[in-house]
Amino acid sequence: MTINANPAVALQYTLAIKQTDHQLITVTANGVNYTKDVVLPYGTTYTVAIEPAEGYNAGELNKTSGTITGDETINATPATLATATITITLSLIHI
């Protein structure tokens, strides 16, 4: 009797990171930071952070963490201009 076996193949999947203007999405997996698409092994856990450019508010991420079980995409809604409200109170003094 002859038994043949093929070597085990680690499943690898693409984690697509879709950047948009005025913010930076960073995925951290196994202690390494990624800002562009990356291929990771099945079962890899990751976290996601987003940092707005100066003068902007970051958009909302579609995921903040996960485990690789197939191809996935990370994206965010568009960044928005930061705004501020300034209130000026005038006081008149009569002499």
Side-chain angles (χ1 to χ4, degrees):
M1 174 190 295
T2 302
I3 298 175
N4 294 317
N6 293 323
V9 176
L11 298 175
Q12 304 265 331
Y13 295 100
T14 299
L15 181 61
I17 303 168
K18 302 300 178 194
Q19 300 289 352
T20 56
D21 293 339
H22 311 296
Q23 58 192 356
L24 180 66
I25 298 171
T26 303
V27 173
T28 303
N30 297 324
V32 179
N33 293 332
Y34 302 96
T35 56
K36 296 181 181 180
D37 296 358
V38 62
V39 176
L40 297 169
Y42 178 91
T44 301
T45 58
Y46 62 87
T47 58
V48 186
I50 189 167
E51 182 72 27
E54 186 173 341
Y56 287 84
N57 296 312
E60 295 287 324
L61 290 165
N62 67 324
K63 293 182 172 192
T64 56
S65 64
T67 301
I68 299 296
T69 58
D71 292 337
E72 297 186 36
T73 299
I74 302 296
N75 57 41
T77 58
T80 57
L81 272 172
T83 59
T85 301
I86 299 173
T87 302
I88 300 173
T89 304
L90 296 176
S91 295
L92 297 176
I93 301 174
H94 295 283
I95 301 181

